[in-house]
Amino acid sequence: MTGTPGRPSHRDLPRTDDLDHPARLLLHGLRPLAAAIARSRWRVQVRGAEHVPRRGPVVLIGNHMGWLDGPLMAILSPRPVHALTKTEMFKGPMRPFLRAAGQIPVHRFEVDPLAVRTGVRVLRDGGVVGMFPEGTRGDGAVRRVRSGSAYLALVTGAPVVPLVFLGTREYGGPNSSLPPVGSRLVLTYGPARSFPRDDWPRRTSVVSAVAEQHRQMLLETLHEAQAATGMVLPGPIPDKKDDRD
């Protein structure tokens, strides 16, 4: 049995009927407390949350410039987010915590079929998958993107929503820096856009073209957010010798 265009099945390619949905207990249960802590430390503003569909699958894509981006995506978005998180974070005590919080480990610099299929599983279950298409923290200007979000959108037909962060890294600070207490942090969601499901096999040229459209969605949202808030990006990461951080 295969899925219809409006209702994909876990037996469609790539098959996901052999995978479990990531854990949800901490992801759902801790969000109110975590959001309250964030708001007590910084002046947090969320703009455009109405662009996130209230139900059904969503691919949420964000620009990436600071350590805070991932946690804020998960705890402040209108709906719980299963974010693709670099495998390097799944070490020591963080490993069980991130697993319980429903985050999806991903190898960023090679094709990771398990991470991709897990993301597809979440979307076919009607959930939200979060991604940072730039692949690494930088200045947040979205100069290039990887194709993972495009692939997920084409496989599932899930609408894509851009999310732009401003203020999440200290200006000129390293990629692990946190903004000073009391700083203004703004999350801006842009309009959702749907991409028709593409039959298997998916052509590289099609995936690349959709990835570029995702980059343009982020850039449009970034420009709108900067114009509306008067905020600027934090600049390049100082003394950055390697983009694998």
Side-chain angles (χ1 to χ4, degrees):
M1 177 179 177
T2 59
T4 64
R7 189 171 184 176
S9 164
H10 287 300
R11 297 187 67 182
D12 287 339
L13 294 176
R15 291 187 62 159
T16 51
D17 53 344
D18 60 334
L19 295 176
D20 292 328
H21 192 106
R24 309 177 214 201
L25 181 61
L26 289 185
L27 179 62
H28 290 245
L30 286 183
R31 272 165 47 89
L33 174 60
I37 293 173
R39 292 183 183 280
S40 71
R41 185 175 180 87
W42 298 287
R43 294 183 294 122
V44 179
Q45 180 184 5
V46 178
R47 306 175 62 250
E50 68 276 7
H51 292 306
V52 180
R54 294 185 178 182
R55 59 183 60 86
V58 176
V59 178
L60 188 61
I61 56 174
N63 69 331
H64 202 17
M65 56 192 181
W67 182 90
L68 272 181
D69 299 338
L72 292 181
M73 175 186 280
I75 67 177
L76 292 177
S77 290
R79 294 170 57 189
V81 178
H82 294 280
L84 272 72
T85 305
K86 62 182 182 180
T87 55
E88 295 90 335
M89 294 292 293
F90 289 77
K91 295 179 180 179
M94 286 297 294
R95 178 181 176 87
F97 174 79
L98 290 173
R99 288 286 191 181
Q103 306 313 294
I104 303 170
V106 60
H107 294 277
R108 297 175 296 153
F109 301 103
E110 58 189 61
V111 177
D112 190 337
L114 179 58
V116 171
R117 292 200 304 127
T118 303
V120 172
R121 170 81 206 203
V122 170
L123 295 169
R124 287 175 176 168
D125 285 342
V128 182
V129 171
M131 304 183 69
F132 294 100
E134 292 170 281
T136 187
R137 301 172 203 159
D139 61 6
V142 201
R143 302 178 194 283
R144 61 179 183 179
V145 297
R146 301 178 189 274
S147 60
S149 62
Y151 182 84
L152 290 182
L154 289 169
V155 168
T156 64
V160 178
V161 176
L163 167 59
V164 162
F165 295 90
L166 291 172
T168 54
R169 174 164 63 85
E170 188 174 8
Y171 190 86
N175 63 8
S176 59
S177 68
L178 296 178
V181 174
S183 297
R184 184 185 184 194
L185 277 57
V186 179
L187 284 68
T188 300
Y189 298 86
R193 182 173 176 183
S194 294
F195 299 83
R197 286 175 60 198
D198 191 33
D199 292 334
W200 186 278
R202 289 160 194 94
R203 291 166 294 168
T204 301
S205 60
V206 173
V207 176
S208 297
V210 171
E212 176 58 24
Q213 292 180 64
H214 289 186
R215 189 177 81 91
Q216 292 301 321
M217 291 170 65
L218 281 166
L219 287 175
E220 290 169 8
T221 305
L222 173 62
H223 296 156
E224 187 279 330
Q226 289 180 303
T229 64
M231 298 178 70
V232 298
L233 293 172
I237 295 171
D239 299 323
K240 188 176 182 185
K241 302 181 176 63
D242 189 311
D243 73 350
R244 296 181 175 232
D245 294 332

PDB file of all heavy atoms in Angstrom, residues 20-28 74 80-85 90 94-105 118-119 122 128-130:
ATOM      1  N   ASP A  20      10.800   4.304  14.823  1.00  0.00           N
ATOM      2  CA  ASP A  20       9.932   4.882  15.837  1.00  0.00           C
ATOM      3  C   ASP A  20       9.962   6.403  15.729  1.00  0.00           C
ATOM      4  O   ASP A  20      10.979   6.993  15.347  1.00  0.00           O
ATOM      5  CB  ASP A  20      10.394   4.482  17.244  1.00  0.00           C
ATOM      6  CG  ASP A  20      10.203   3.001  17.518  1.00  0.00           C
ATOM      7  OD1 ASP A  20       9.233   2.418  16.974  1.00  0.00           O
ATOM      8  OD2 ASP A  20      11.028   2.423  18.251  1.00  0.00           O
ATOM      9  N   HIS A  21       8.857   7.034  16.069  1.00  0.00           N
ATOM     10  CA  HIS A  21       8.829   8.493  16.177  1.00  0.00           C
ATOM     11  C   HIS A  21       9.746   8.894  17.328  1.00  0.00           C
ATOM     12  O   HIS A  21       9.750   8.251  18.371  1.00  0.00           O
ATOM     13  CB  HIS A  21       7.399   8.954  16.461  1.00  0.00           C
ATOM     14  CG  HIS A  21       7.190  10.426  16.317  1.00  0.00           C
ATOM     15  ND1 HIS A  21       6.521  10.989  15.248  1.00  0.00           N
ATOM     16  CD2 HIS A  21       7.570  11.467  17.108  1.00  0.00           C
ATOM     17  CE1 HIS A  21       6.485  12.300  15.405  1.00  0.00           C
ATOM     18  NE2 HIS A  21       7.121  12.617  16.514  1.00  0.00           N
ATOM     19  N   PRO A  22      10.562   9.952  17.177  1.00  0.00           N
ATOM     20  CA  PRO A  22      11.424  10.387  18.286  1.00  0.00           C
ATOM     21  C   PRO A  22      10.619  10.664  19.552  1.00  0.00           C
ATOM     22  O   PRO A  22       9.424  10.967  19.498  1.00  0.00           O
ATOM     23  CB  PRO A  22      12.076  11.671  17.750  1.00  0.00           C
ATOM     24  CG  PRO A  22      12.011  11.541  16.261  1.00  0.00           C
ATOM     25  CD  PRO A  22      10.750  10.795  15.979  1.00  0.00           C
ATOM     26  N   ALA A  23      11.293  10.582  20.691  1.00  0.00           N
ATOM     27  CA  ALA A  23      10.642  10.803  21.981  1.00  0.00           C
ATOM     28  C   ALA A  23       9.983  12.183  22.036  1.00  0.00           C
ATOM     29  O   ALA A  23      10.460  13.140  21.413  1.00  0.00           O
ATOM     30  CB  ALA A  23      11.659  10.669  23.109  1.00  0.00           C
ATOM     31  N   ARG A  24       8.893  12.288  22.794  1.00  0.00           N
ATOM     32  CA  ARG A  24       8.154  13.549  22.862  1.00  0.00           C
ATOM     33  C   ARG A  24       7.975  14.065  24.287  1.00  0.00           C
ATOM     34  O   ARG A  24       7.566  15.197  24.480  1.00  0.00           O
ATOM     35  CB  ARG A  24       6.767  13.375  22.230  1.00  0.00           C
ATOM     36  CG  ARG A  24       6.793  12.765  20.857  1.00  0.00           C
ATOM     37  CD  ARG A  24       5.388  12.553  20.320  1.00  0.00           C
ATOM     38  NE  ARG A  24       5.344  11.348  19.497  1.00  0.00           N
ATOM     39  CZ  ARG A  24       4.425  11.091  18.584  1.00  0.00           C
ATOM     40  NH1 ARG A  24       3.460  11.951  18.404  1.00  0.00           N
ATOM     41  NH2 ARG A  24       4.455   9.986  17.888  1.00  0.00           N
ATOM     42  N   LEU A  25       8.263  13.238  25.291  1.00  0.00           N
ATOM     43  CA  LEU A  25       7.917  13.581  26.673  1.00  0.00           C
ATOM     44  C   LEU A  25       8.538  14.906  27.108  1.00  0.00           C
ATOM     45  O   LEU A  25       7.836  15.842  27.511  1.00  0.00           O
ATOM     46  CB  LEU A  25       8.349  12.460  27.623  1.00  0.00           C
ATOM     47  CG  LEU A  25       8.023  12.682  29.102  1.00  0.00           C
ATOM     48  CD1 LEU A  25       6.514  12.818  29.285  1.00  0.00           C
ATOM     49  CD2 LEU A  25       8.558  11.539  29.956  1.00  0.00           C
ATOM     50  N   LEU A  26       9.869  15.017  27.028  1.00  0.00           N
ATOM     51  CA  LEU A  26      10.521  16.259  27.444  1.00  0.00           C
ATOM     52  C   LEU A  26      10.251  17.397  26.471  1.00  0.00           C
ATOM     53  O   LEU A  26      10.108  18.551  26.876  1.00  0.00           O
ATOM     54  CB  LEU A  26      12.031  16.052  27.590  1.00  0.00           C
ATOM     55  CG  LEU A  26      12.502  15.199  28.772  1.00  0.00           C
ATOM     56  CD1 LEU A  26      14.025  15.199  28.844  1.00  0.00           C
ATOM     57  CD2 LEU A  26      11.922  15.707  30.085  1.00  0.00           C
ATOM     58  N   LEU A  27      10.165  17.056  25.192  1.00  0.00           N
ATOM     59  CA  LEU A  27       9.941  18.078  24.178  1.00  0.00           C
ATOM     60  C   LEU A  27       8.643  18.827  24.459  1.00  0.00           C
ATOM     61  O   LEU A  27       8.575  20.057  24.369  1.00  0.00           O
ATOM     62  CB  LEU A  27       9.896  17.443  22.784  1.00  0.00           C
ATOM     63  CG  LEU A  27       9.632  18.391  21.610  1.00  0.00           C
ATOM     64  CD1 LEU A  27      10.736  19.421  21.482  1.00  0.00           C
ATOM     65  CD2 LEU A  27       9.482  17.596  20.310  1.00  0.00           C
ATOM     66  N   HIS A  28       7.607  18.096  24.826  1.00  0.00           N
ATOM     67  CA  HIS A  28       6.320  18.725  25.106  1.00  0.00           C
ATOM     68  C   HIS A  28       6.266  19.249  26.541  1.00  0.00           C
ATOM     69  O   HIS A  28       5.788  20.354  26.785  1.00  0.00           O
ATOM     70  CB  HIS A  28       5.182  17.724  24.871  1.00  0.00           C
ATOM     71  CG  HIS A  28       4.970  17.389  23.440  1.00  0.00           C
ATOM     72  ND1 HIS A  28       3.818  17.715  22.753  1.00  0.00           N
ATOM     73  CD2 HIS A  28       5.763  16.755  22.530  1.00  0.00           C
ATOM     74  CE1 HIS A  28       3.909  17.300  21.506  1.00  0.00           C
ATOM     75  NE2 HIS A  28       5.083  16.709  21.349  1.00  0.00           N
ATOM     76  N   ALA A  74      13.354  25.095  19.423  1.00  0.00           N
ATOM     77  CA  ALA A  74      12.591  24.006  20.016  1.00  0.00           C
ATOM     78  C   ALA A  74      11.584  24.494  21.045  1.00  0.00           C
ATOM     79  O   ALA A  74      10.468  23.969  21.125  1.00  0.00           O
ATOM     80  CB  ALA A  74      13.538  22.985  20.647  1.00  0.00           C
ATOM     81  N   PRO A  80       5.862  22.079  19.102  1.00  0.00           N
ATOM     82  CA  PRO A  80       7.105  21.368  19.408  1.00  0.00           C
ATOM     83  C   PRO A  80       7.863  21.012  18.131  1.00  0.00           C
ATOM     84  O   PRO A  80       7.260  20.620  17.122  1.00  0.00           O
ATOM     85  CB  PRO A  80       6.619  20.114  20.138  1.00  0.00           C
ATOM     86  CG  PRO A  80       5.284  20.489  20.690  1.00  0.00           C
ATOM     87  CD  PRO A  80       4.677  21.418  19.686  1.00  0.00           C
ATOM     88  N   VAL A  81       9.184  21.126  18.189  1.00  0.00           N
ATOM     89  CA  VAL A  81      10.031  20.924  17.009  1.00  0.00           C
ATOM     90  C   VAL A  81      11.040  19.814  17.266  1.00  0.00           C
ATOM     91  O   VAL A  81      11.776  19.857  18.258  1.00  0.00           O
ATOM     92  CB  VAL A  81      10.782  22.227  16.648  1.00  0.00           C
ATOM     93  CG1 VAL A  81      11.705  21.997  15.454  1.00  0.00           C
ATOM     94  CG2 VAL A  81       9.797  23.350  16.365  1.00  0.00           C
ATOM     95  N   HIS A  82      11.080  18.847  16.377  1.00  0.00           N
ATOM     96  CA  HIS A  82      12.133  17.837  16.383  1.00  0.00           C
ATOM     97  C   HIS A  82      13.248  18.369  15.475  1.00  0.00           C
ATOM     98  O   HIS A  82      13.142  18.311  14.249  1.00  0.00           O
ATOM     99  CB  HIS A  82      11.625  16.492  15.850  1.00  0.00           C
ATOM    100  CG  HIS A  82      10.581  15.858  16.722  1.00  0.00           C
ATOM    101  ND1 HIS A  82      10.899  15.152  17.861  1.00  0.00           N
ATOM    102  CD2 HIS A  82       9.228  15.819  16.618  1.00  0.00           C
ATOM    103  CE1 HIS A  82       9.794  14.697  18.422  1.00  0.00           C
ATOM    104  NE2 HIS A  82       8.759  15.094  17.693  1.00  0.00           N
ATOM    105  N   ALA A  83      14.293  18.918  16.069  1.00  0.00           N
ATOM    106  CA  ALA A  83      15.356  19.558  15.290  1.00  0.00           C
ATOM    107  C   ALA A  83      16.470  18.566  14.967  1.00  0.00           C
ATOM    108  O   ALA A  83      16.856  17.754  15.809  1.00  0.00           O
ATOM    109  CB  ALA A  83      15.924  20.743  16.053  1.00  0.00           C
ATOM    110  N   LEU A  84      16.978  18.642  13.734  1.00  0.00           N
ATOM    111  CA  LEU A  84      18.172  17.882  13.383  1.00  0.00           C
ATOM    112  C   LEU A  84      19.362  18.562  14.044  1.00  0.00           C
ATOM    113  O   LEU A  84      19.641  19.736  13.779  1.00  0.00           O
ATOM    114  CB  LEU A  84      18.347  17.816  11.870  1.00  0.00           C
ATOM    115  CG  LEU A  84      17.621  16.632  11.187  1.00  0.00           C
ATOM    116  CD1 LEU A  84      16.117  16.850  11.179  1.00  0.00           C
ATOM    117  CD2 LEU A  84      18.138  16.420   9.768  1.00  0.00           C
ATOM    118  N   THR A  85      20.050  17.819  14.907  1.00  0.00           N
ATOM    119  CA  THR A  85      21.107  18.359  15.755  1.00  0.00           C
ATOM    120  C   THR A  85      22.399  17.605  15.500  1.00  0.00           C
ATOM    121  O   THR A  85      22.394  16.371  15.443  1.00  0.00           O
ATOM    122  CB  THR A  85      20.709  18.231  17.243  1.00  0.00           C
ATOM    123  OG1 THR A  85      19.444  18.875  17.442  1.00  0.00           O
ATOM    124  CG2 THR A  85      21.746  18.851  18.147  1.00  0.00           C
ATOM    125  N   PHE A  90      25.657  14.988  20.974  1.00  0.00           N
ATOM    126  CA  PHE A  90      25.147  13.802  21.665  1.00  0.00           C
ATOM    127  C   PHE A  90      26.284  13.082  22.391  1.00  0.00           C
ATOM    128  O   PHE A  90      26.637  11.950  22.079  1.00  0.00           O
ATOM    129  CB  PHE A  90      24.448  12.871  20.672  1.00  0.00           C
ATOM    130  CG  PHE A  90      23.136  13.411  20.170  1.00  0.00           C
ATOM    131  CD1 PHE A  90      23.093  14.411  19.211  1.00  0.00           C
ATOM    132  CD2 PHE A  90      21.934  12.919  20.656  1.00  0.00           C
ATOM    133  CE1 PHE A  90      21.886  14.913  18.745  1.00  0.00           C
ATOM    134  CE2 PHE A  90      20.718  13.409  20.198  1.00  0.00           C
ATOM    135  CZ  PHE A  90      20.699  14.411  19.248  1.00  0.00           C
ATOM    136  N   MET A  94      24.500  15.028  27.808  1.00  0.00           N
ATOM    137  CA  MET A  94      23.621  15.645  26.824  1.00  0.00           C
ATOM    138  C   MET A  94      22.931  14.600  25.948  1.00  0.00           C
ATOM    139  O   MET A  94      21.840  14.855  25.431  1.00  0.00           O
ATOM    140  CB  MET A  94      24.407  16.613  25.946  1.00  0.00           C
ATOM    141  CG  MET A  94      24.791  17.902  26.636  1.00  0.00           C
ATOM    142  SD  MET A  94      23.339  18.866  27.143  1.00  0.00           S
ATOM    143  CE  MET A  94      22.671  19.301  25.537  1.00  0.00           C
ATOM    144  N   ARG A  95      23.570  13.448  25.773  1.00  0.00           N
ATOM    145  CA  ARG A  95      23.005  12.435  24.883  1.00  0.00           C
ATOM    146  C   ARG A  95      21.608  11.984  25.328  1.00  0.00           C
ATOM    147  O   ARG A  95      20.654  12.079  24.542  1.00  0.00           O
ATOM    148  CB  ARG A  95      23.955  11.243  24.764  1.00  0.00           C
ATOM    149  CG  ARG A  95      23.413  10.126  23.887  1.00  0.00           C
ATOM    150  CD  ARG A  95      24.384   8.945  23.819  1.00  0.00           C
ATOM    151  NE  ARG A  95      23.833   7.852  23.059  1.00  0.00           N
ATOM    152  CZ  ARG A  95      23.935   7.718  21.742  1.00  0.00           C
ATOM    153  NH1 ARG A  95      24.570   8.643  21.043  1.00  0.00           N
ATOM    154  NH2 ARG A  95      23.403   6.699  21.115  1.00  0.00           N
ATOM    155  N   PRO A  96      21.442  11.487  26.584  1.00  0.00           N
ATOM    156  CA  PRO A  96      20.096  11.061  26.981  1.00  0.00           C
ATOM    157  C   PRO A  96      19.106  12.224  27.033  1.00  0.00           C
ATOM    158  O   PRO A  96      17.919  12.035  26.748  1.00  0.00           O
ATOM    159  CB  PRO A  96      20.310  10.427  28.358  1.00  0.00           C
ATOM    160  CG  PRO A  96      21.595  10.988  28.854  1.00  0.00           C
ATOM    161  CD  PRO A  96      22.432  11.205  27.642  1.00  0.00           C
ATOM    162  N   PHE A  97      19.594  13.422  27.394  1.00  0.00           N
ATOM    163  CA  PHE A  97      18.690  14.570  27.456  1.00  0.00           C
ATOM    164  C   PHE A  97      18.166  14.905  26.063  1.00  0.00           C
ATOM    165  O   PHE A  97      16.953  15.103  25.864  1.00  0.00           O
ATOM    166  CB  PHE A  97      19.394  15.777  28.058  1.00  0.00           C
ATOM    167  CG  PHE A  97      18.566  17.027  28.006  1.00  0.00           C
ATOM    168  CD1 PHE A  97      17.559  17.244  28.935  1.00  0.00           C
ATOM    169  CD2 PHE A  97      18.778  17.977  27.014  1.00  0.00           C
ATOM    170  CE1 PHE A  97      16.774  18.390  28.877  1.00  0.00           C
ATOM    171  CE2 PHE A  97      17.999  19.127  26.953  1.00  0.00           C
ATOM    172  CZ  PHE A  97      16.994  19.333  27.885  1.00  0.00           C
ATOM    173  N   LEU A  98      19.061  15.004  25.081  1.00  0.00           N
ATOM    174  CA  LEU A  98      18.637  15.354  23.728  1.00  0.00           C
ATOM    175  C   LEU A  98      17.738  14.284  23.131  1.00  0.00           C
ATOM    176  O   LEU A  98      16.773  14.593  22.416  1.00  0.00           O
ATOM    177  CB  LEU A  98      19.859  15.583  22.833  1.00  0.00           C
ATOM    178  CG  LEU A  98      20.674  16.846  23.127  1.00  0.00           C
ATOM    179  CD1 LEU A  98      21.942  16.869  22.293  1.00  0.00           C
ATOM    180  CD2 LEU A  98      19.843  18.096  22.858  1.00  0.00           C
ATOM    181  N   ARG A  99      18.040  13.031  23.423  1.00  0.00           N
ATOM    182  CA  ARG A  99      17.190  11.941  22.943  1.00  0.00           C
ATOM    183  C   ARG A  99      15.788  12.057  23.540  1.00  0.00           C
ATOM    184  O   ARG A  99      14.779  11.934  22.843  1.00  0.00           O
ATOM    185  CB  ARG A  99      17.806  10.593  23.313  1.00  0.00           C
ATOM    186  CG  ARG A  99      19.041  10.221  22.507  1.00  0.00           C
ATOM    187  CD  ARG A  99      18.687   9.820  21.105  1.00  0.00           C
ATOM    188  NE  ARG A  99      19.817   9.227  20.402  1.00  0.00           N
ATOM    189  CZ  ARG A  99      19.775   8.805  19.141  1.00  0.00           C
ATOM    190  NH1 ARG A  99      18.659   8.917  18.455  1.00  0.00           N
ATOM    191  NH2 ARG A  99      20.855   8.289  18.558  1.00  0.00           N
ATOM    192  N   ALA A 100      15.725  12.284  24.872  1.00  0.00           N
ATOM    193  CA  ALA A 100      14.427  12.402  25.540  1.00  0.00           C
ATOM    194  C   ALA A 100      13.667  13.634  25.071  1.00  0.00           C
ATOM    195  O   ALA A 100      12.429  13.663  25.119  1.00  0.00           O
ATOM    196  CB  ALA A 100      14.622  12.448  27.053  1.00  0.00           C
ATOM    197  N   ALA A 101      14.412  14.648  24.621  1.00  0.00           N
ATOM    198  CA  ALA A 101      13.782  15.873  24.123  1.00  0.00           C
ATOM    199  C   ALA A 101      13.391  15.767  22.649  1.00  0.00           C
ATOM    200  O   ALA A 101      12.964  16.760  22.049  1.00  0.00           O
ATOM    201  CB  ALA A 101      14.712  17.067  24.327  1.00  0.00           C
ATOM    202  N   GLY A 102      13.570  14.581  22.072  1.00  0.00           N
ATOM    203  CA  GLY A 102      13.090  14.347  20.721  1.00  0.00           C
ATOM    204  C   GLY A 102      13.931  14.921  19.611  1.00  0.00           C
ATOM    205  O   GLY A 102      13.468  15.035  18.465  1.00  0.00           O
ATOM    206  N   GLN A 103      15.184  15.288  19.907  1.00  0.00           N
ATOM    207  CA  GLN A 103      16.043  15.844  18.859  1.00  0.00           C
ATOM    208  C   GLN A 103      16.665  14.716  18.027  1.00  0.00           C
ATOM    209  O   GLN A 103      16.878  13.611  18.516  1.00  0.00           O
ATOM    210  CB  GLN A 103      17.105  16.739  19.479  1.00  0.00           C
ATOM    211  CG  GLN A 103      16.513  17.830  20.371  1.00  0.00           C
ATOM    212  CD  GLN A 103      15.345  18.572  19.741  1.00  0.00           C
ATOM    213  OE1 GLN A 103      15.512  19.278  18.761  1.00  0.00           O
ATOM    214  NE2 GLN A 103      14.150  18.405  20.292  1.00  0.00           N
ATOM    215  N   ILE A 104      16.982  14.999  16.794  1.00  0.00           N
ATOM    216  CA  ILE A 104      17.420  13.983  15.837  1.00  0.00           C
ATOM    217  C   ILE A 104      18.903  14.178  15.531  1.00  0.00           C
ATOM    218  O   ILE A 104      19.292  15.212  14.958  1.00  0.00           O
ATOM    219  CB  ILE A 104      16.608  14.088  14.532  1.00  0.00           C
ATOM    220  CG1 ILE A 104      15.108  13.945  14.818  1.00  0.00           C
ATOM    221  CG2 ILE A 104      17.075  13.037  13.526  1.00  0.00           C
ATOM    222  CD1 ILE A 104      14.224  14.274  13.623  1.00  0.00           C
ATOM    223  N   PRO A 105      19.766  13.226  15.902  1.00  0.00           N
ATOM    224  CA  PRO A 105      21.195  13.383  15.597  1.00  0.00           C
ATOM    225  C   PRO A 105      21.471  13.267  14.104  1.00  0.00           C
ATOM    226  O   PRO A 105      20.875  12.427  13.416  1.00  0.00           O
ATOM    227  CB  PRO A 105      21.848  12.234  16.375  1.00  0.00           C
ATOM    228  CG  PRO A 105      20.770  11.209  16.523  1.00  0.00           C
ATOM    229  CD  PRO A 105      19.481  11.969  16.621  1.00  0.00           C
ATOM    230  N   THR A 118      14.355   9.561   9.666  1.00  0.00           N
ATOM    231  CA  THR A 118      13.690   9.931  10.915  1.00  0.00           C
ATOM    232  C   THR A 118      12.913  11.232  10.736  1.00  0.00           C
ATOM    233  O   THR A 118      11.785  11.373  11.227  1.00  0.00           O
ATOM    234  CB  THR A 118      14.705  10.068  12.053  1.00  0.00           C
ATOM    235  OG1 THR A 118      15.429   8.841  12.204  1.00  0.00           O
ATOM    236  CG2 THR A 118      14.009  10.386  13.367  1.00  0.00           C
ATOM    237  N   GLY A 119      13.515  12.187  10.027  1.00  0.00           N
ATOM    238  CA  GLY A 119      12.798  13.421   9.726  1.00  0.00           C
ATOM    239  C   GLY A 119      11.551  13.166   8.905  1.00  0.00           C
ATOM    240  O   GLY A 119      10.486  13.751   9.155  1.00  0.00           O
ATOM    241  N   VAL A 122       8.783  11.797  11.163  1.00  0.00           N
ATOM    242  CA  VAL A 122       8.103  12.845  11.930  1.00  0.00           C
ATOM    243  C   VAL A 122       7.091  13.579  11.055  1.00  0.00           C
ATOM    244  O   VAL A 122       5.948  13.826  11.470  1.00  0.00           O
ATOM    245  CB  VAL A 122       9.134  13.832  12.514  1.00  0.00           C
ATOM    246  CG1 VAL A 122       8.442  15.061  13.094  1.00  0.00           C
ATOM    247  CG2 VAL A 122       9.984  13.156  13.581  1.00  0.00           C
ATOM    248  N   VAL A 128       6.581  18.484  13.310  1.00  0.00           N
ATOM    249  CA  VAL A 128       7.424  19.578  12.816  1.00  0.00           C
ATOM    250  C   VAL A 128       8.890  19.173  12.914  1.00  0.00           C
ATOM    251  O   VAL A 128       9.345  18.730  13.973  1.00  0.00           O
ATOM    252  CB  VAL A 128       7.195  20.862  13.633  1.00  0.00           C
ATOM    253  CG1 VAL A 128       8.054  22.008  13.079  1.00  0.00           C
ATOM    254  CG2 VAL A 128       5.722  21.250  13.634  1.00  0.00           C
ATOM    255  N   VAL A 129       9.623  19.336  11.826  1.00  0.00           N
ATOM    256  CA  VAL A 129      11.061  19.083  11.793  1.00  0.00           C
ATOM    257  C   VAL A 129      11.775  20.416  11.614  1.00  0.00           C
ATOM    258  O   VAL A 129      11.428  21.206  10.728  1.00  0.00           O
ATOM    259  CB  VAL A 129      11.440  18.126  10.649  1.00  0.00           C
ATOM    260  CG1 VAL A 129      12.961  18.055  10.483  1.00  0.00           C
ATOM    261  CG2 VAL A 129      10.886  16.731  10.912  1.00  0.00           C
ATOM    262  N   GLY A 130      12.766  20.678  12.474  1.00  0.00           N
ATOM    263  CA  GLY A 130      13.542  21.906  12.374  1.00  0.00           C
ATOM    264  C   GLY A 130      14.928  21.649  11.815  1.00  0.00           C
ATOM    265  O   GLY A 130      15.555  20.638  12.149  1.00  0.00           O
TER     266      GLY A 130
END
